[in-house]
């Protein structure tokens, strides 16, 4: 955990960002063992960190909030995604009683496609997620894809990932494989969006504003 935190701090310094740690241990330190468990279903006694995140978001009041989409099903990413969905509150034609920051995140909350899992499975569509992944999404919320063309930022992304020395080999096998995976994924995402190498995010919006053919809505 100390090594992971050190990587986070180094990366934050390199891009002029500030890290805030909630001191929540990774899955392997909460008793999950082996790939089958780490990429399996969260345990009932292992809740999503909704209140901790609500408290910090209410204090910081960020303009945009990015949560993992949970591609690849890493249990920590699944729980964080669940927290993001819960923080949307809902339904949005009614006052939210669950979490104070509820509807205020609508339009500001985006889900990112988890690396390296999105590249490994060739993730392209939301229906590639397990059926339960977005089952708790409020019925009046849709996810709209947004593409961000990277340009020279592809190389900066590779350099940024290199800062995470404790994870590069275990996740990618080698530095060279990491660089190739990042560039290959960016190229494919750009093709999906009809642009150059890119990243894609999924913004939570009101279904009232759905107009794009590639926007997805969900039934509660």
């Amino acid at each position: 955990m100390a090594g992971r935190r050190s990587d986070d701090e180094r990366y934050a310094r390199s891009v002029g960002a500030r890290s805030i740690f909630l001191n929540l241990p990774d899955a392997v330190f909460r008793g999950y063992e082996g790939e089958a468990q780490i990429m399996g279903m969260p345990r009932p006694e292992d809740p999503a960190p909704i209140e901790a995140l609500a408290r910090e978001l209410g204090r910081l009041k960020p303009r945009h909030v990015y949560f993992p989409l949970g591609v690849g099903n890493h249990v920590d990413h699944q729980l964080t995604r669940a927290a993001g969905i819960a923080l949307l509150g809902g339904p949005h034609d009614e006052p939210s009683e669950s979490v104070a920051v509820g509807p205020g995140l609508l339009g500001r909350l985006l889900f990112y496609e988890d690396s390296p899992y999105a590249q490994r499975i060739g993730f392209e569509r939301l229906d590639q997620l397990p059926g339960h992944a977005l089952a708790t999404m409020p019925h009046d919320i849709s996810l709209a894809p947004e593409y961000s063309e990277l340009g020279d930022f592809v190389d900066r992304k590779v350099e940024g990932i290199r800062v995470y020395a404790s994870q590069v080999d275990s996740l990618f096998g080698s530095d060279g494989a990491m660089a190739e995976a990042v560039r290959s994924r960016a190229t494919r995402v750009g093709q999906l969006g009809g642009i150059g190498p890119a990243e894609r995010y999924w913004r939570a919006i009101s279904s009232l504003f759905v107009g794009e053919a590639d926007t997805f809505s969900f039934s509660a």
Side-chain angles (χ1 to χ4, degrees):
M1 288 181 66
R4 294 284 181 89
R5 181 162 180 160
S6 178
D7 289 347
D8 280 332
E9 290 172 336
R10 280 200 306 277
Y11 179 78
R13 287 194 300 270
S14 75
V15 296
R18 180 165 62 104
S19 296
I20 296 172
F21 296 98
L22 300 183
N23 297 319
L24 301 173
D26 288 347
V28 293
F29 300 108
R30 301 198 312 277
Y32 291 88
E33 298 180 354
E35 184 171 350
Q37 291 187 16
I38 293 173
M39 300 298 181
M41 290 294 293
R43 296 169 179 168
E45 69 275 13
D46 190 24
I50 299 170
E51 296 303 325
L53 288 171
R55 182 174 60 252
E56 290 303 309
L57 293 175
R59 180 176 69 87
L60 296 168
K61 297 178 174 58
R63 285 193 301 169
H64 296 95
V65 185
Y66 294 83
F67 280 81
L69 187 58
V71 178
N73 300 323
H74 191 293
V75 67
D76 288 339
H77 297 215
Q78 291 186 66
L79 290 169
T80 310
R81 177 188 63 209
I85 293 173
L87 290 171
L88 284 168
H92 291 81
D93 54 355
E94 303 173 0
S96 174
E97 298 179 355
S98 57
V99 183
V101 296
L105 288 181
L106 188 59
R108 297 191 293 129
L109 190 152
L110 301 94
F111 294 93
Y112 64 85
E113 299 180 359
D114 318 50
S115 178
Y117 311 112
Q119 193 272 340
R120 286 181 186 172
I121 70 171
F123 182 78
E124 297 186 355
R125 308 177 313 278
L126 288 182
D127 61 14
Q128 290 175 261
L129 296 172
H132 63 81
L134 303 174
T136 58
M137 188 74 71
H139 66 79
D140 55 349
I141 295 296
S142 299
L143 294 185
E146 296 184 2
Y147 293 84
S148 178
E149 196 160 8
L150 290 173
D152 293 341
F153 280 95
V154 173
D155 293 330
R156 290 184 61 180
K157 184 172 182 177
V158 169
E159 291 302 319
I161 294 175
R162 284 189 174 124
V163 173
Y164 288 83
S166 67
Q167 299 188 62
V168 168
D169 286 349
S170 61
L171 289 176
F172 296 94
S174 69
D175 180 86
M178 178 274 290
E180 173 58 28
V182 170
R183 295 190 174 98
S184 174
R185 177 63 185 168
T187 297
R188 180 56 188 149
V189 171
Q191 291 171 346
L192 293 172
I195 56 177
E199 290 185 343
R200 181 175 56 181
Y201 305 93
W202 297 86
R203 187 182 297 272
I205 63 172
S206 170
S207 297
L208 295 175
F209 299 103
V210 171
E212 299 284 344
D214 53 356
T215 298
F216 293 78
S217 58
F218 308 91
S219 298

